[in-house]
């Protein structure tokens, strides 16, 4: 049981973050085995994790959604650039 909304938000954030990290670790492991992982691919995965984290924080009401939308547009540009490098 959660003692407060903040505990619940923290738990949701940890769960979402750990899922993204686990997924990227697995991608890195598989890509490294096949020698296909590049730094730009790692950076792209990190940028996507950041976007997902910001969205989770906005959904939980911990960040202003207008601010997150503005940041998301910037992160979208970063992801486009990194995607083109991969």
């Amino acid at each position: 049981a959660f003692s407060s909304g903040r505990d619940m938000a923290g738990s949701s954030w940890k769960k979402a973050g750990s899922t993204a990290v686990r997924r990227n670790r697995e991608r890195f492991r598989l890509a490294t085995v096949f020698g296909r992982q590049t730094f730009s691919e790692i950076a792209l995965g990190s940028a996507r994790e950041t976007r997902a984290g910001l969205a989770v924080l906005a959904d939980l009401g911990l960040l202003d959604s207008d601010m997150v939308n503005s940041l998301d547009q910037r992160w979208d540009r970063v992801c486009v650039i990194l995607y083109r490098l991969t």
Side-chain angles (χ1 to χ4, degrees):
F2 294 104
S3 59
S4 71
R6 180 171 273 219
D7 290 342
M8 186 181 215
S11 175
S12 297
W13 171 246
K14 286 177 189 173
K15 187 180 291 181
S18 67
T19 300
V21 169
R22 239 182 288 118
R23 186 175 48 237
N24 265 358
R25 279 187 189 152
E26 183 62 16
R27 283 185 198 145
F28 179 78
R29 187 189 69 73
L30 290 173
T32 303
V33 167
F34 296 106
R36 295 186 180 156
Q37 188 74 15
T38 66
F39 288 113
S40 57
E41 289 171 324
I42 295 168
L44 177 59
S46 296
R48 287 178 174 162
E49 283 180 34
T50 300
R51 284 181 81 183
L54 289 171
V56 169
L57 290 172
D59 289 345
L60 294 172
L62 299 173
L63 287 179
D64 178 55
S65 25
D66 290 334
M67 180 178 68
V68 171
N69 287 335
S70 173
L71 289 171
D72 188 59
Q73 290 174 0
R74 292 178 187 168
W75 276 116
D76 186 53
R77 180 74 179 135
V78 169
C79 288
V80 167
I81 292 167
L82 291 170
Y83 181 79
R84 288 179 181 167
L85 291 173
T86 58

